[in-house]
Amino acid sequence: PYKWHILTLPQVLPKWLYWRVTLLVRWLTHEFGRVFFAALHMPAQGWAALWWLVPALALGQTWRLHGQLWRCVGLHAWFNLCLAMVSR
């Protein structure tokens, strides 16, 4: 009997190209998340919500480099504390 063979992306592409595509997809999803997060804050903060892209970049890079949630939570708390201090 004939067995269907499903080719996966790593089997079709050379290894270097597969990793470049993987990194590009990860980067694009991160960028989409940042812009989506800022867009959700637009109704309340207006154009000032674009400043939310900066901490979102830092949080995304922290997650990408370390993969530890507690680091992101700590960094997020630090951002909120700085924002509260500046807002007074």
Side-chain angles (χ1 to χ4, degrees):
Y2 183 75
K3 293 184 179 181
W4 288 94
H5 182 69
I6 300 173
L7 293 175
T8 60
L9 200 56
Q11 293 171 332
V12 176
L13 296 176
K15 188 179 262 188
W16 65 270
L17 184 58
Y18 168 74
W19 286 112
R20 286 183 186 240
V21 168
T22 302
L23 290 175
L24 177 65
V25 168
R26 287 182 185 174
W27 181 80
L28 286 174
T29 55
H30 179 244
E31 292 303 309
F32 174 76
R34 284 183 348 129
V35 171
F36 183 70
F37 183 74
L40 288 178
H41 285 83
M42 281 287 229
Q45 282 88 23
W47 288 103
L50 291 178
W51 287 106
W52 264 252
L53 294 174
V54 176
L57 176 64
L59 289 169
Q61 286 295 90
T62 302
W63 176 259
R64 188 180 67 80
L65 292 175
H66 302 288
Q68 296 174 338
L69 184 60
W70 69 268
R71 287 182 190 241
C72 293
V73 169
L75 189 58
H76 191 280
W78 182 74
F79 284 142
N80 287 344
L81 180 64
C82 290
L83 182 61
M85 298 303 280
V86 170
S87 302
R88 288 183 167 206

